Amino acid sequence: MLIKKRPSWALSHSDVTPESVYLDRRRFMGGMFAAALAGAGVPRLVDAAALPVQGESLSFSAMPGFSTNEEKTPYEDVTRYNNFYEFGTGKGDPAKYADEMSLDPWSVVVEGECDKPGTYGLEDLVRPHDYQERIYRLRCVEAWSMVIPWIGIPLADMLKRFEPNSRARYVYFETLHDPDQMRAQRSLFSTIDWPYQEGLRMDEAMNELSFMAVGLYGKTLPKQNGAPMRLVVPWKYGFKSIKSIVKIRFQEKRPKTTWEMIAPQEYGFYANVNPEVDHPRWSQKRERRLPSGLLSPNWMETRKFNGYGEQVAHLYKGMDLTKYY
């Protein structure tokens, strides 16, 4: 029997999650059904009736080994203070405008160096898996941070189903591009070349911490937080955790990522949380934990790899992290 060592930062789930989160749960996928279409690569779109309702409660298993004893960021802050530049650059813009995005239907294109490419409906991606709750720290490159109880599945479990081959050294992710629904994508003043693009090395993607989230605080993801599915990579700055994913590609060459293309001297491909490497325009040695205010900024020291070094430091052994930032 394999006994997994709990990380040094893990506490029991009862210490960190209030009882109220668990009330009134329903099975997220209980009413879902597959569009049984034959043939590899045939689109399998989600019927509108099978989609999760925004704000619907999810059924999940607590994961004490993927938790923290730190106070969680209130739901209102998590859902009303965020970056989702497809809807605007203001922290409140996503909550104000994301409702213009439709989730009906939603599909994800899987392509590249894998044996099972195709277009998969949302229910095909998540239905075989039991949902987990993982309470992770989120550190933004802008030096603010949160603690969020995510609901989802291990990224590795999803990626294995597509059977990536030996040439798959990286995995690329892409956000929905639809200017009719995402107002900032039609702005003449945007500095982003849409769609938003991100990527991970395969060993990073397959690490036990990498997570594909479909909910938070016990309910389905709000649109402003990246519904219906988003990546969560807790040891990296938040811009690596790409939202509203519509494409996954396995590839041999390292992909170019959105912020790396905009300002490579400021935002590298790896984007590991590192207090020893300052942003060119501000220090990364401290972070402002939300909620915070003018009189109580709630500053704290930033930890290397956001405190997850025990799980991920080996991925970068021998690398100069001031060069590969």
Side-chain angles (χ1 to χ4, degrees):
M1 178 179 179
L2 178 63
I3 299 177
K4 185 173 180 179
K5 179 183 177 182
R6 292 175 60 191
S8 59
W9 42 266
L11 290 183
S12 67
H13 191 268
S14 60
D15 290 332
V16 294
T17 302
E19 181 180 0
S20 60
V21 173
Y22 292 94
L23 300 179
D24 192 31
R25 291 184 187 156
R26 291 179 291 161
R27 294 277 322 167
F28 172 42
M29 304 304 294
M32 284 191 165
F33 57 89
L37 300 178
V42 176
R44 304 173 66 183
L45 303 182
V46 184
D47 185 276
L51 283 167
V53 177
Q54 285 285 286
E56 182 178 355
S57 297
L58 305 178
S59 179
F60 56 85
S61 298
M63 299 296 291
F66 297 90
S67 186
T68 174
N69 64 333
E70 295 166 82
E71 183 177 354
K72 294 187 297 300
T73 304
Y75 181 85
E76 288 297 310
D77 291 282
V78 173
T79 58
R80 296 186 178 277
Y81 189 97
N82 39 32
N83 293 326
F84 199 165
Y85 288 120
E86 284 80 353
F87 298 106
T89 57
K91 291 294 184 286
D93 287 345
K96 185 176 181 180
Y97 299 117
D99 196 52
E100 297 173 2
M101 177 176 64
S102 173
L103 305 181
D104 308 345
W106 194 274
S107 60
V108 177
V109 174
V110 178
E111 60 186 22
E113 301 292 349
C114 64
D115 293 337
K116 292 187 177 180
T119 301
Y120 293 83
L122 176 62
E123 86 284 14
D124 295 304
L125 295 173
V126 299
R127 183 184 53 187
H129 306 280
D130 293 328
Y131 291 132
Q132 302 176 2
E133 179 187 65
R134 297 187 176 191
I135 304 175
Y136 281 157
R137 292 181 288 273
L138 173 70
R139 171 61 154 83
C140 182
V141 73
E142 298 169 341
W144 54 265
S145 63
M146 297 182 178
V147 177
I148 303 175
W150 301 103
I151 310 297
I153 62 177
L155 178 62
D157 289 354
M158 178 180 290
L159 298 184
K160 287 175 184 176
R161 295 176 56 207
F162 308 128
E163 298 182 10
N165 61 41
S166 60
R167 293 184 297 275
R169 299 180 58 202
Y170 297 90
V171 57
Y172 163 92
F173 301 92
E174 189 174 296
T175 295
L176 176 68
H177 181 212
D178 190 333
D180 291 337
Q181 300 185 64
M182 297 171 143
R183 59 177 53 215
Q185 289 182 342
R186 58 181 183 263
S187 171
L188 298 177
F189 303 100
S190 176
T191 59
I192 297 177
D193 185 13
W194 308 106
Y196 192 92
Q197 304 167 59
E198 260 305 335
L200 297 172
R201 253 179 18 201
M202 280 298 296
D203 58 349
E204 295 177 314
M206 304 303 283
N207 183 271
E208 63 177 356
L209 292 181
S210 297
F211 202 57
M212 189 65 79
V214 297
L216 56 81
Y217 261 110
K219 297 182 179 181
T220 54
L221 275 176
K223 293 181 179 180
Q224 63 265 33
N225 292 96
M229 56 186 293
R230 63 165 291 167
L231 190 62
V232 180
V233 193
W235 71 93
K236 294 179 179 289
Y237 291 119
F239 66 86
K240 295 292 291 187
S241 294
I242 186 170
K243 304 177 179 74
S244 301
I245 295 169
V246 295
K247 182 177 288 187
I248 298 173
R249 181 194 306 132
F250 299 95
Q251 55 191 71
E252 188 170 7
K253 294 184 178 181
R254 183 170 73 81
K256 288 288 187 179
T257 59
T258 289
W259 284 105
E260 181 186 15
M261 290 187 285
I262 293 173
Q265 72 282 6
E266 298 185 8
Y267 309 102
F269 173 81
Y270 287 96
N272 292 318
V273 176
N274 192 347
E276 300 166 10
V277 179
D278 288 335
H279 187 280
R281 290 178 283 131
W282 58 78
S283 171
Q284 295 289 22
K285 293 179 175 58
R286 295 196 304 162
E287 62 196 68
R288 179 173 55 90
R289 175 65 53 80
L290 298 181
S292 67
L294 184 62
L295 298 180
S296 55
N298 202 17
W299 287 103
M300 59 184 60
E301 299 297 313
T302 293
R303 288 166 282 185
K304 195 169 185 177
F305 299 117
N306 206 21
Y308 298 99
E310 182 180 339
Q311 290 74 37
V312 302
H314 68 278
L315 299 174
Y316 312 102
K317 186 177 181 180
M319 293 178 60
D320 181 353
L321 297 182
T322 64
K323 179 180 179 181
Y324 298 102
Y325 54 88

